[in-house]
Amino acid sequence: MPSFCGLELEHPIVNGSGTYDVIAARRAFGEALIESFPFSAFVSKTITLEPRAGNPPPRLFETPAGLINSIGLPNKGLQGYLERDLPELAALPVPLITNVMGSTAAEIAALLEAVDDRDEIAAVELNVSCPNVRTGLDIGADPRELAAVLDAVRRRTSKPLIVKLTPNTADVALVAEAAEASGADAVSLINTLRAFAPAVGPDAVAGEAWLGGGTGGLSGPAIRAVALAQVSAVARRVTIPVVGMGGVQSGAHAAQMLGAGATLVAVGTESFRDPAAGARIRDELRDFSAKSGSFAR
Amino acid sequence: MPSFCGLELEHPIVNGSGTYDVIAARRAFGEALIESFPFSAFVSKTITLEPRAGNPPPRLFETPAGLINSIGLPNKGLQGYLERDLPELAALPVPLITNVMGSTAAEIAALLEAVDDRDEIAAVELNVSCPNVRTGLDIGADPRELAAVLDAVRRRTSKPLIVKLTPNTADVALVAEAAEASGADAVSLINTLRAFAPAVGPDAVAGEAWLGGGTGGLSGPAIRAVALAQVSAVARRVTIPVVGMGGVQSGAHAAQMLGAGATLVAVGTESFRDPAAGARIRDELRDFSAKSGSFAR
Amino acid sequence: MSAPFGRRRLTIGGARRVGAYVVLAAPDPGGPAPEPGQFYMLAAAERWGGGEDERPFLPRAFSVLRATGTDPPTLEFMLEDVGPGTRRLGELVPGDGLWVTGPLGQGFTAPGEGRRALLCGGGVGTAPLAIWQDALLASGREAPALLGFRDGEHAEGAGLLRDARVATDDGSTGHHGPVTDLLVAELDAGTPAIVYACGPPGMLEAVRALCEARAVPAQLALESGMACGFGACFGCVVPTRDGSYVRLCVDGPVLDAELLAGVPAH
Amino acid sequence: MSAPFGRRRLTIGGARRVGAYVVLAAPDPGGPAPEPGQFYMLAAAERWGGGEDERPFLPRAFSVLRATGTDPPTLEFMLEDVGPGTRRLGELVPGDGLWVTGPLGQGFTAPGEGRRALLCGGGVGTAPLAIWQDALLASGREAPALLGFRDGEHAEGAGLLRDARVATDDGSTGHHGPVTDLLVAELDAGTPAIVYACGPPGMLEAVRALCEARAVPAQLALESGMACGFGACFGCVVPTRDGSYVRLCVDGPVLDAELLAGVPAH
Ligand SMILES: Cc1cc2nc3c(=O)[nH]c(=O)nc-3n(C[C@H](O)[C@H](O)[C@H](O)COP(=O)(O)OP(=O)(O)OC[C@H]3O[C@@H](n4cnc5c(N)ncnc54)[C@H](O)[C@@H]3O)c2cc1C
Ligand SMILES: Cc1cc2nc3c(=O)[nH]c(=O)nc-3n(C[C@H](O)[C@H](O)[C@H](O)COP(=O)(O)OP(=O)(O)OC[C@H]3O[C@@H](n4cnc5c(N)ncnc54)[C@H](O)[C@@H]3O)c2cc1C
Ligand SMILES: Cc1cc2nc3c(=O)[nH]c(=O)nc-3n(C[C@H](O)[C@H](O)[C@H](O)COP(=O)(O)O)c2cc1C
Ligand SMILES: Cc1cc2nc3c(=O)[nH]c(=O)nc-3n(C[C@H](O)[C@H](O)[C@H](O)COP(=O)(O)O)c2cc1C
Ligand code: FES
Ligand code: FES
């Protein structure tokens, strides 16, 4: 029963933001999804202030043991989310974590305030893989930029704040330390690695992108070893809990994440291969832990 | 016939530093290796001032479509290299590029000077994936640090200087720009991604490392999409030639690297799966280019 | 009826060649009967990976060709080798394991009053039309099918439907030319029709344009690259007439032609 | 003689079970005869990948068990399923493709004047001893073999050598206990010996220590994780007595026991 930012969760397996739309999944799988809900908390996809249509297709490219996506954060926008999705998400049998992103401190502040008002939301995850309007670098790529943003917005919500770090940085542990110092209650990582999918097929022109959005982000087992390196580097340097993710496909992998210092483990891409992967991983981890006597930490 | 830093090369395929020991390979394969030499230039493994034994084993861990290594740069040291390896390497049918690494500007300067004396060496590649003694970050992770080092050492050799960038940075194109501004004649990328291999097997303790060296670097097809993203980001921002590498397994992949803006393509891990992979990739690329009319740029 | 939650492991009961295609059959003890036009995400249970470019990794989407029998129903899929995933699936033999998730998505809906159904397909687009033809015929309707193929070997796939009229690109069987030639003739003769179509993007777009020009309703079963098949990844979108996107896996794969300004090229 | 440059594709000619092991046979038209103790890097030509944890990716090292016949010689390998690579190789059937690189590394060298050869092995460590026994016998020497196995099923592997004496951990066949019990008895009786050993690290270390204590020379065929097998990756090192490392693929896999302070655990 992991305790995470004041939430008492049934088990350590949650979903990665943007990799599970429970509302759509319920249409496909009905109440069985709810009855054997795979995650101990549900993380929404990233919500922005304004609605976004997302990137033009193709949005997916399969790589060796991985997936590149260039989805482009389609979402109904803050109001759409609160009005249309929140009632359905609030009915889930587990706590709801709402993931938000903004490109300026003001935008983020507005998102945090709106979320703060809603009792249905247990915690907020801030996705900082968003280019800073001034530097062009992702906000989360630079410890100083991130600290500045967090210092400006942290007080806008009293809910637990998870900062979802970007892996595309020189030393993610430095960024995590900055997040902790500026009031993050937890950090989550890794988000996808910046990646390029080349045009393929008979008409492919060299240098052209396959993805409608140009570049994309790599996830899945291909990046698990990178994720483990980043999670363990971060966990050694912060005292706040860490949500570890990246390529987790089994209970053994989840145990490796916990071993690297994570408190919770998120499953993303593997859910695409099996909608119930989260439940299987939870069970495998339980068996694994029963054998080794603990959740491996 | 690519022209690269004043070298006229037969084709665009070279080896990645540290992934081909021609001296050992010649013992295994005899003169056939020399007669159908797979690379248009040979890049030595990284040489340091003093000899290094390398890391304790295990040094290898296989991942989904990839390999983590923690070799630890074993080498005979500068003198050993010059005295014992150079005569054999100079007899190769292709130009020799010597890869060097130092942890301070003074060390690097000494390496460059020693290399500058030797006519057998056509160019020097500087591996900047070495932790800066002061910041702890790799020298190549920070554009300012790299510029400072290059400014201090560039004049120590009149040979073409290739800077082998680290991929473990927030914006590799910024670093490449700094390298160009400080006198690099070319950049090469990507080196391995920082990665962790967890202990596996019945006695594995959670959180423990498999590799004797602790962390390692990920290479192979798992990282190709990351390599393509970094190579294309860099090629768009510098005017000097780019050596692209990371997970290249076929002529099609080599063409993708060229399409992303590389002038040469290096093959690393794939040579482990087939010692003659470089030759196959060269031939496939030739066929591919014959069909599409150019080396794809 | 909803799909069972999660993927389930079936055992291949049969694998046969039909011209250029492979038809896989797998008894599905746990699953509900699919609706015509629905699809499943499939993956080989062993060695899914290690093919061309070290793929496949994700499951692949396949329209159900037919679901025959009960206790348990046997699912049939029709596939063509176009890459590492279809190649691996095409190598499966009876006894091999098959992961399936489904049935998924929205299928075809019955013709409105006074409209006759016209089925028009090409290549592996034959698959959903087979189960749909069965259903139409079972409900006492007529369901003539027009099918286009590359050549005679592929055209053997037409045998999977009843009384299909065939067109081939190379003229080796049936009409020499695009299947839409046959469709135009049908549309321009007789009572008001509704077209049910599945096939490559170029063909679907031609069907869409023909139907639009004639104000004939059409239901198009599209394809797009999918990672999950159940709405999770937002990867399978197609642009709609109103400038937004729909996820093909949950809002399709069968879409009303009206929804689209055009059928996207991939 | 050197190995052909690059990997080459062979076709599996035979695959048979020997107790708990699989013995693969593949005619090798392009390759030279291997020396006893040399190894090859092997990979299935199709679907190398997609197993447990999406592996294997790299080729795997196998001692040659035997090379029989000429024009062409047939290579034999003995393998045990311990992970995704050996599992996939163990599934190969005649006609399947096999990538091989080799022969690689340094094998056994003949006993010095007045020394009798003693072969001592365990598990898949049986493989290099089989070809070495053949060679010793062919040169008119004696080559008694002592082989240790987990249980009776594994002990069937002993049939791959001539007149091997067997020890099993569970006592189901032969001596109940470690094979080194048999070795001690042999070492302490008769003329000066030289020991040729291959097996799991624990066994090899026991052999090494026994021989060191008795000043008996020993040649140990070790294992270590390998990526390339030809000296390229520097991954396969083992620590030597002088505090440095040797690459097992080029300086081994057979090492003089003297070189080592101990046999590393992996
Ligand atoms: C709803 C639906 C129903 C379908 N029904 C059927 C059916 O009944 N029968 C049938 O045979 N097929 C059907 N398909 C198509 C089938 O899913 C594809 O042919 C299959 O996914 C191809 O996989 P592959 O690995 O064989 O080929 P891939 O290599 O994946 O190539 C297939 C196409 O994908 C693109 N592509 C190539 N490389 C990549 C990459 N790395 N990442 C992403 N895309 C890439 C190219 O456009 C290529 O032509 C259906 C598809 C959908 C969406
Ligand atoms: C010179 C030489 C000769 C050999 N001869 C034979 C022979 O004749 N017959 C035979 O059966 N075997 C032989 N072996 C051993 C054989 O190479 C291994 O059993 C094989 O590589 C295992 O591969 P796998 O994929 O089946 O198992 P793996 O999963 O690779 O596991 C094998 C061992 O490797 C380690 N391991 C586990 N996961 C990983 C990982 N991700 N990366 C790296 N290591 C990992 C663990 O210690 C595990 O026990 C030889 C090895 C060498 C070096
Ligand atoms: C299709 C897709 C969409 C994603 N969308 C989001 C998102 O909206 N917000 C976010 O923070 N992370 C997003 N991610 C990143 C995942 O939450 C996760 O960090 C990453 O995929 C690594 O985990 P995995 O390898 O288990 O997928 C997305 C990942 C994928 C594959
Ligand atoms: C075993 C191994 C050793 C390496 N040693 C070096 C080295 O000494 N110096 C260096 O600059 N890069 C080294 N590299 C990095 C490669 O040159 C290359 O940048 C990287 O592996 C990506 O290419 P690949 O995916 O084709 O292997 C090494 C890589 C591997 C796998
Ligand atoms: S395939 Fe994932 S949302 Fe449709
Ligand atoms: S296995 Fe690569 S150096 Fe020995």
Side-chain angles (χ1 to χ4, degrees), chain C residues 96-192:
Chain C
D96 284 349
L98 179 72
W99 288 119
V100 311
T101 303
L104 297 166
Q106 313 301 322
F108 297 110
T109 53
E113 204 52 51
R115 295 238 169 230
R116 70 194 160 109
L118 274 180
L119 278 49
C120 181
V124 292
T126 297
L129 300 181
I131 181 174
W132 185 222
Q133 190 188 47
D134 288 352
L136 289 168
L137 294 175
S139 72
R141 290 188 172 83
E142 292 191 36
L146 315 171
L147 298 174
F149 297 94
R150 214 168 312 158
D151 53 30
E153 194 197 356
H154 285 81
E156 290 179 43
L160 294 166
L161 269 77
R162 217 176 292 177
D163 302 325
R165 284 172 56 207
V166 167
T168 52
D169 297 345
D170 68 355
S172 54
T173 333
H175 171 72
H176 186 176
V179 67
T180 42
D181 291 351
L182 304 180
L183 181 64
V184 168
E186 279 287 344
L187 286 179
D188 293 348
T191 49

Side-chain angles (χ1 to χ4, degrees), chain A residues 77-162:
Chain A
L78 178 65
Q79 288 321 316
Y81 171 76
L82 294 177
E83 286 161 24
R84 286 146 66 198
D85 290 353
L86 192 54
E88 293 200 56
L89 300 180
L92 293 176
V94 297
L96 173 64
I97 299 173
T98 295
N99 179 301
V100 300
M101 188 183 88
S103 51
T104 61
E107 270 182 41
I108 296 169
L111 287 157
L112 294 186
E113 272 175 12
V115 160
D116 194 54
D117 276 352
R118 307 300 294 251
D119 291 342
E120 304 94 311
I121 297 172
V124 51
E125 182 174 62
L126 176 64
N127 178 353
V128 295
S129 296
C130 181
N132 181 301
V133 187
R134 199 171 48 77
T135 65
L137 279 186
D138 282 358
I139 292 176
D142 180 341
R144 280 170 302 257
E145 289 293 329
L146 179 61
V149 167
L150 289 181
D151 290 341
V153 304
R154 180 62 193 94
R155 272 162 317 172
R156 303 309 180 95
T157 181
S158 57
K159 294 195 194 289
L161 178 69
I162 308 157

Side-chain angles (χ1 to χ4, degrees), chain C residues 239-266:
Chain C
T240 52
R241 193 181 280 281
D242 68 2
S244 70
Y245 294 115
V246 291
R247 281 171 290 179
L248 202 66
C249 68
V250 288
D251 296 319
V254 177
L255 297 177
D256 275 333
E258 278 190 337
L259 198 66
L260 305 172
V263 173
H266 33 215

